[in-house]
Amino acid sequence: MKERTPRNRPPRRLLAAVTAAAGALSLLVAMPATSSVEADAVPVAAAESTATVFYYTKTKNWAAYNLHYAPDGGSWTTVPGVAMEAACTDWVKKTVPLGTAGGLQATFNNGNGTWDNNAGQNYDLGTGAITVKDGVVAHSDPCAGGTDPDPSPSPTQGAGTATVYYSTASVGWTTTNLHYMPAGGAWTTVPGVGMEAACTGWTRRTVDLGAATSMKAAFNNGNGVWDNNNGSDYTIATGVSTVKDRVVVKNAADPCAAEEPDTEAPTVPTKVTAKADGVAVVLSWEPSTDNESVATYQVTRTGGTKGTVVTDVSSTVLSVTDLEERTAYTFTVRAADAAGNLSAASAPASATTGDRPPAPAQGKPLGTDPRKDPIYFVLTARFNDGDGSNNRGGSQHERSGNAANDDPMFRGDFKGLIDKLDYIKGLGMSAVWITPVVLNRSDYDYHGYHGYDFYRVDRRLESAGASYQDLINAAHAKGMKIYQDVVYNHSSRWGAKGLFTPKHYGVRDAQWSWYYDEPNSAFEYDGLSVEPKSGKSYYNGDLWSTAEPTGNTCVNWGQPTPSTSPEGYRIYNCQWPNATSGAWPKDIYHTCWLGNWEGEDSRSCWLHDDLADLNTESAKVQNHLIGAYNKYIDMGVDGFRVDTAVHIPRTTWNRRFLPAIQERVTQQHGAEAAKNFFVFGEVGAFVNDKWNRGSVNHSAQFFTWKERKEYSADDAKAALEMYEYENNAGTAAQPTSANAFLSGNDYHAPDHSRFSGMNIIDMRMHMNFGDASNAFHNGKDSDDSVNDATYNVVYVDSHDYGPNKSGERYTGGTDAWAENMSLMWTFRGIPTLYYGSEIEFQKGKKIDCGPTCPLATTGRAYYGDHLEGDVKASEFGKVDTATGTVATTLAQPLVKHVQRLNEIRRAVPALQTGQYSTEGISGEIAYKRRYTAGGTDSFALVTVTHAATYAGIPNGTYRDAVTGDTRVVTDGKLAVAAPGKGNLRVYVLNGPGKIGATGPYLK
């Protein structure tokens, strides 16, 4: 969406071409132009001091012609503007000074109230010679040699005449120029001669080649975007030719011959409603119809001190924010098709704003034991769409196939999540882990792991009344926690704003102008706003330098390499982020590529060109990150999930980041909140070993411990010293803990004196969840080396992997899912569910394939279609009401299963915070758990799927929480028959009996 006043410039769309997938982009380090177009035909962004505007008079027959204009960034002339003078037959002109401006906005009038303002959008003109003919803008001099720049092709072509039809369907240009050279002749002056609209998706031009029988040709949009056939130019013969998607068809049929021009406007939008909320208004309407298709809607707003404002949107809802207080606004909507036909304006809809609401108060962490809160993990941008106006597809929208599915990568948002918190609560989950919220910047950044501005929330996630603070507060009001995914290890490939953002080499030549945007110093990238010159929200003009910057350290700046991009374009040095190029200052970034995932260089080198590796041992970097994440602590988040934790030395975590978190939470929210502020790290270990390939430094449990000796005061040296010391000490010398284990049948107070402050994701269980028994036995085998495994975060699959390092979402079957859940909800640790797993969403689908396939075909597909309708839940695990599709979702067997598991877990403290033991127990997946504190003493015997026997247990009355079966133990023994796949038994000493209703698995 882009707002404009009636005299702003309309958006100009660039080519839909995109860069390589993330895996291939590491090759992109620079590039040259190799087009055979002459040097002067290669457009370079150069400032022009004047523009000569030619206006076509034959279809107007005005008595006088005036040009009313404003240079870019400047003021408009006084109405009616400046008089234009006769130029040649059917043309008038005016040369105007522009100073340093790169173009102008213009309208034309007859001095007596008749205007041509491009259907309300005004004309967006560049520099040099420009023609405006019947709404079409081209770059040429119509009076040079007496040639009309836009003649219609004659029905019969001469021997030396060529008519070229150029397809604009794939480039989206509103202006097309033909730059050509007859065989044996000279090139036209850049940008060439204008082409006229022929029919939908086609422009044409007829040129006289004289005695020549062919010409070389290239096409451009007059503003630096070129199609020169990948540098080879096109060869066009006499007669009629078509050029479409780089294919030339000689002696072609007229592509417009059988097509009637589309002159039918869409229907008028109906049921336009405007609803005010504070100083925001949400406008909605029914879709229009058209004989072809509706392309956009034009919303006109009047009221307030800004006057009339026109906004173009592609959806049927518009959220207008930051309006004036207590002010009446009126809106009308018109529909437009691809041919430019506009419907009449809708009936007006009005709304009066109220008072500006105060900023939401900062939240406070709930501060309770995190082990009591099962976690629901969502990719915010893929979960549920509450506000269509902040949806963004990015530069990969078409290439990925997302456009064909009408599925922009940024689709879900905080509003959508707030709207469905009751769905999550209805599942019984009381903590929500969300992907990173900071402003991201890459070609495919919806997941949040390409942080660019760590101090700013990504606007593509926020809406009026649904800021990040609003989400935190809404969750807390429902008794639910928010765990924020955070990244300390790396920034985006473009660096980190406020810390370091490199300038890369980006010559805007015939090959690359589709990618590199013109710089606009007045525009600040925020992920959401549309930059007016490029018409893109993924603008990158601030990241590139067409001239070598002062003090440049990048090696071989701008020199061509032997490599080409996937599109076949030559690559230049320093064109693309490269760890070893010399462009990255060593005090802020590490400058090497990772070679060994289990070696020391994993903490000090880049993982990928999308992930510029921060020098986290630098005080400058540490302070920047600590300051950024303090902001979110102050907002009241309940914990941090730490991405790529293993790629930062334990010494840096223990010295800097973890103490900083504790200090800030204590300062802002108190000691009890700090004690329960939950930090859990991702330590990627994809093996079944207790110690990751024997490397203690790269094993998850290693990060739960404080240091065992003193190291150098210099953090970089300390990291190396620790790595060497612990590596030499080996696995046998690592600390051990009994914090997760019962002493016989007794609970004992855990010793957390050596705890680092970081808990872990249980990667070993995760990797073995292809079979619940494997997950159980592998998990408990590592628990004596974890400071306190009762805090381990346990999941089956995630946004990265399925079990056994599978790249697909878990597809073991519903019974196996039920079995896995039964284990996770009753064994030590915190059960975690990746969004949609409760209905086996996208099972067997590849979790991630970057922009090489549509998101809809992956494990990161949009989930909101399954959540349509209303749902209310006042208690965890119990749905009060549900209507629509979400009611069907909530009726699925695994949903019923997880609801009851949560009900049982909440009623039995031993299953939440208890220690465990397998001593005296026979059974495939069987254990006992106990928690004792104050007046609470909870003891439970658990078996999943299989039969089990328990010996040496306390005598007393045991009641099964699943069936209500009661057993009186007098000899310390209890035998339990196999409950069946996915089912379980939970015999609780002096327990309440059956908890919840019989379900599809718990029965």
Side-chain angles (χ1 to χ4, degrees):
M1 180 197 75
K2 173 192 169 225
E3 283 198 356
R4 64 172 191 276
T5 63
R7 289 177 177 152
N8 276 1
R9 304 164 69 179
R12 185 187 310 136
R13 295 189 298 155
L14 298 187
L15 278 171
V18 290
T19 56
L25 286 175
S26 59
L27 296 175
L28 290 177
V29 288
M31 108 277 112
T34 57
S35 170
S36 58
V37 175
E38 298 176 320
D40 67 349
V42 178
V44 178
E48 298 271 349
S49 59
T50 62
T52 300
V53 182
F54 292 85
Y55 188 71
Y56 190 62
T57 64
K58 189 172 183 179
T59 54
K60 298 296 183 185
N61 294 316
W62 292 345
Y65 295 84
N66 297 296
L67 170 64
H68 180 49
Y69 72 95
D72 289 353
S75 302
W76 284 85
T77 55
T78 303
V79 175
V82 294
M84 304 185 75
E85 62 196 48
C88 57
T89 303
D90 298 330
W91 292 91
V92 293
K93 70 176 181 179
K94 184 65 182 180
T95 300
V96 297
L98 297 179
T100 59
L104 70 155
Q105 302 157 62
T107 62
F108 304 88
N109 66 88
N110 69 350
N112 286 299
T114 301
W115 287 76
D116 173 7
N117 64 357
N118 194 23
Q121 298 189 64
N122 306 326
Y123 289 97
D124 182 12
L125 308 180
T127 58
I130 308 162
T131 62
V132 179
K133 178 184 178 183
D134 298 333
V136 176
V137 177
H139 288 248
S140 60
D141 183 346
C143 302
T147 302
D148 182 346
D150 291 315
S152 298
S154 57
T156 304
Q157 306 297 337
T161 303
T163 296
V164 184
Y165 286 85
Y166 182 74
S167 173
T168 59
S170 62
V171 296
W173 296 344
T174 56
T175 300
T176 306
N177 296 304
L178 169 63
H179 179 52
Y180 69 94
M181 178 184 70
W187 284 93
T188 54
T189 302
V190 172
V193 295
M195 302 183 74
E196 67 175 353
C199 57
T200 303
W202 290 93
T203 58
R204 67 183 170 192
R205 176 75 196 203
T206 299
V207 296
D208 186 355
L209 299 181
T213 58
S214 67
M215 65 178 176
K216 288 285 190 180
F219 304 88
N220 65 86
N221 73 346
N223 288 290
V225 180
W226 285 74
D227 173 8
N228 64 357
N229 195 22
N230 281 351
S232 300
D233 304 322
Y234 294 98
T235 299
I236 309 294
T238 54
V240 177
S241 300
T242 60
V243 180
K244 181 177 182 180
D245 297 332
R246 298 200 179 99
V247 176
V248 177
V249 177
K250 183 180 177 182
N251 296 324
D254 183 344
C256 300
E259 180 181 328
E260 292 292 331
D262 180 9
T263 59
E264 183 177 335
T267 60
V268 177
T270 60
K271 297 183 180 179
V272 181
T273 60
K275 183 179 180 180
D277 181 8
V279 291
V281 171
V282 176
L283 196 73
S284 62
W285 58 92
E286 290 295 314
S288 295
T289 59
D290 186 64
N291 62 317
E292 295 290 340
S293 64
V294 176
T296 59
Y297 293 93
Q298 187 183 91
V299 179
T300 299
R301 181 182 90 218
T302 57
T305 59
K306 291 185 177 181
T308 301
V309 177
V310 179
T311 305
D312 296 326
V313 296
S314 57
S315 66
T316 58
V317 62
L318 171 64
S319 177
V320 186
T321 61
D322 202 27
L323 297 171
E324 297 166 42
E325 293 182 294
R326 297 181 297 280
T327 301
Y329 289 92
T330 299
F331 302 84
T332 58
V333 185
R334 303 173 75 186
D337 61 19
N341 298 306
L342 275 173
S343 74
S346 69
S350 299
T352 300
T353 57
D355 294 328
R356 186 178 301 277
Q362 290 197 333
K364 182 178 179 64
L366 295 184
T368 55
D369 192 319
R371 294 172 295 178
K372 297 181 179 181
D373 299 299
I375 301 170
Y376 193 75
F377 172 33
V378 302
L379 271 68
T380 310
R382 306 302 301 160
F383 183 63
N384 187 52
D385 189 6
D387 178 6
S389 68
N390 59 11
N391 292 358
R392 292 292 182 271
S395 66
Q396 307 283 3
H397 192 47
E398 286 79 16
R399 175 176 181 262
S400 63
N402 291 340
N405 292 320
D406 192 21
D407 184 28
M409 61 172 181
F410 267 93
R411 189 172 177 185
D413 44 41
F414 294 145
K415 187 175 190 304
L417 184 50
I418 291 171
D419 289 346
K420 300 304 177 185
L421 284 175
D422 273 13
Y423 169 78
I424 300 172
K425 186 171 184 175
L427 295 177
M429 317 298 280
S430 50
V432 185
W433 158 14
I434 60 173
T435 39
V437 304
V438 302
L439 177 62
N440 266 233
R441 196 163 195 180
S442 84
D443 294 324
Y444 216 49
D445 56 1
Y446 63 94
H447 41 62
Y449 298 102
H450 299 148
Y452 172 70
D453 189 342
F454 289 83
Y455 284 78
R456 185 173 188 175
V457 175
D458 200 309
R459 289 188 62 202
R460 292 168 289 188
L461 299 175
E462 295 195 301
S463 309
S467 66
Y468 186 34
Q469 187 69 68
D470 289 318
L471 169 63
I472 295 168
N473 295 351
H476 287 174
K478 294 180 181 296
M480 302 169 71
K481 296 179 177 180
I482 294 293
Y483 295 149
Q484 178 179 330
D485 213 321
V486 295
V487 184
Y488 288 80
N489 177 65
H490 55 264
S491 71
S492 75
R493 65 162 67 106
W494 311 127
K497 185 179 179 183
L499 191 60
F500 177 74
T501 52
K503 288 288 187 180
H504 296 284
Y505 185 67
V507 61
R508 300 187 71 252
D509 67 359
Q511 297 183 88
W512 287 99
S513 55
W514 62 269
Y515 188 77
Y516 304 119
D517 302 325
E518 287 186 66
N520 181 352
S521 60
F523 181 80
E524 181 181 5
Y525 170 84
D526 64 10
L528 182 67
S529 299
V530 174
E531 193 279 318
K533 288 188 177 182
S534 66
K536 301 191 306 189
S537 62
Y538 51 94
Y539 159 83
N540 61 20
D542 58 326
L543 303 173
W544 308 102
S545 175
T546 56
E548 187 169 357
T550 303
N552 170 58
T553 57
C554 189
V555 179
N556 297 321
W557 171 270
Q559 296 300 308
T561 73
S563 302
T564 58
S565 74
E567 297 83 6
Y569 301 156
R570 182 61 51 199
I571 295 174
Y572 289 117
N573 278 317
C574 308
Q575 177 186 351
W576 202 254
N578 185 314
T580 59
S581 67
W584 302 82
K586 293 184 178 180
D587 63 328
I588 299 177
Y589 284 92
H590 292 135
T591 55
C592 56
W593 291 108
L594 183 147
N596 178 5
W597 285 88
E598 280 74 43
E600 190 281 328
D601 61 341
S602 70
R603 70 95 193 166
S604 59
C605 298
W606 288 34
L607 309 179
H608 200 277
D609 60 3
D610 254 352
L611 313 174
D613 198 81
L614 289 163
N615 181 356
T616 51
E617 294 74 68
S618 159
K620 186 184 298 184
V621 173
Q622 292 167 358
N623 292 335
H624 184 83
L625 294 172
I626 289 169
Y629 290 127
N630 280 349
K631 168 182 175 177
Y632 306 107
I633 291 172
D634 294 352
M635 292 172 73
V637 297
D638 300 276
F640 288 157
R641 180 269 186 182
V642 182
D643 181 72
T644 51
V646 68
H647 301 293
I648 296 176
R650 189 177 74 178
T651 47
T652 303
W653 284 119
N654 289 349
R655 287 181 174 189
R656 310 301 177 197
F657 296 135
L658 294 171
I661 291 171
Q662 281 292 303
E663 290 168 9
R664 189 67 172 195
V665 179
T666 302
Q667 177 187 39
Q668 295 297 111
H669 306 297
E672 187 65 18
K675 173 186 175 183
N676 289 311
F677 189 88
F678 191 44
V679 179
F680 57 107
E682 176 204 27
V683 180
F686 306 112
V687 294
N688 294 333
D689 306 336
K690 180 175 182 177
W691 296 97
N692 186 17
R693 296 186 176 91
S695 172
V696 296
N697 290 275
H698 297 89
S699 300
Q701 61 268 33
F702 182 75
F703 286 81
T704 65
W705 297 95
K706 289 181 178 179
E707 303 307 330
R708 299 192 290 163
K709 66 184 296 292
E710 292 292 326
Y711 300 108
S712 170
D714 179 86
D715 285 352
K717 291 181 180 179
L720 295 173
E721 291 169 359
M722 180 210 65
Y723 183 89
E724 182 178 12
Y725 174 79
E726 296 291 3
N727 199 48
N728 289 336
T731 59
Q734 297 305 309
T736 58
S737 169
N739 284 336
F741 305 117
L742 293 173
S743 177
N745 291 315
D746 297 328
Y747 178 87
H748 60 92
D751 177 9
H752 292 149
S753 61
R754 295 180 293 167
F755 177 49
S756 67
M758 182 183 290
N759 297 288
I760 54 171
I761 294 170
D762 199 321
M763 296 299 292
R764 193 169 178 194
M765 284 194 75
H766 163 52
M767 283 292 104
N768 284 278
F769 258 119
D771 178 79
S773 181
N774 283 341
F776 170 62
H777 290 289
N778 274 277
K780 67 186 182 70
D781 180 54
S782 296
D783 286 351
D784 65 345
S785 296
V786 181
N787 184 270
D788 191 342
T790 65
Y791 287 86
N792 284 11
V793 170
V794 183
Y795 55 64
V796 174
D797 61 0
S798 72
H799 60 320
D800 287 326
Y801 293 104
N804 304 313
K805 205 178 180 181
S806 167
E808 300 173 347
R809 288 197 75 159
Y810 182 65
T811 185
T814 310
D815 291 352
W817 250 122
E819 184 179 45
N820 286 338
M821 288 179 175
S822 293
L823 172 60
M824 287 193 293
W825 261 258
T826 57
F827 189 45
R828 58 94 185 120
I830 303 171
T832 301
L833 203 61
Y834 183 39
Y835 80 100
S837 290
E838 64 272 21
I839 63 170
E840 298 178 86
F841 181 60
Q842 298 295 90
K843 62 180 180 180
K845 298 293 180 65
K846 190 174 180 64
I847 292 173
D848 175 35
C849 57
T852 63
C853 71
L855 281 166
T857 65
T858 72
R860 299 177 178 181
Y862 176 65
Y863 192 58
D865 294 339
H866 297 274
L867 303 176
E868 291 182 354
D870 295 319
V871 57
K872 298 296 179 187
S874 56
E875 297 181 47
F876 288 105
K878 295 183 179 180
V879 175
D880 300 331
T881 61
T883 60
T885 306
V886 70
T888 303
T889 300
L890 287 164
Q892 300 305 303
L894 288 179
V895 170
K896 298 300 184 184
H897 188 55
V898 77
Q899 286 175 319
R900 193 171 181 209
L901 283 171
N902 273 317
E903 196 173 359
I904 293 172
R905 190 177 189 272
R906 289 182 183 280
V908 182
L911 302 183
Q912 301 172 56
T913 54
Q915 295 164 340
Y916 79 95
S917 172
T918 58
E919 181 183 345
I921 301 173
S922 63
E924 184 61 26
I925 309 176
Y927 36 92
K928 55 188 175 183
R929 297 192 66 186
R930 192 168 203 160
Y931 176 72
T932 307
T936 300
D937 184 16
S938 177
F939 184 77
L941 308 174
V942 181
T943 182
V944 178
T945 299
H946 307 279
T949 59
Y950 304 83
I953 59 175
N955 291 332
T957 301
Y958 289 80
R959 298 182 180 90
D960 178 23
V962 177
T963 65
D965 179 51
T966 300
R967 306 283 190 91
V968 177
V969 174
T970 59
D971 59 355
K973 297 178 182 179
L974 180 64
V976 180
K981 185 81 168 182
N983 202 353
L984 79 157
R985 297 289 180 258
V986 183
Y987 281 90
V988 182
L989 180 62
N990 301 318
K994 183 177 180 179
I995 300 170
T998 298
Y1001 287 100
L1002 298 182
K1003 54 189 177 181

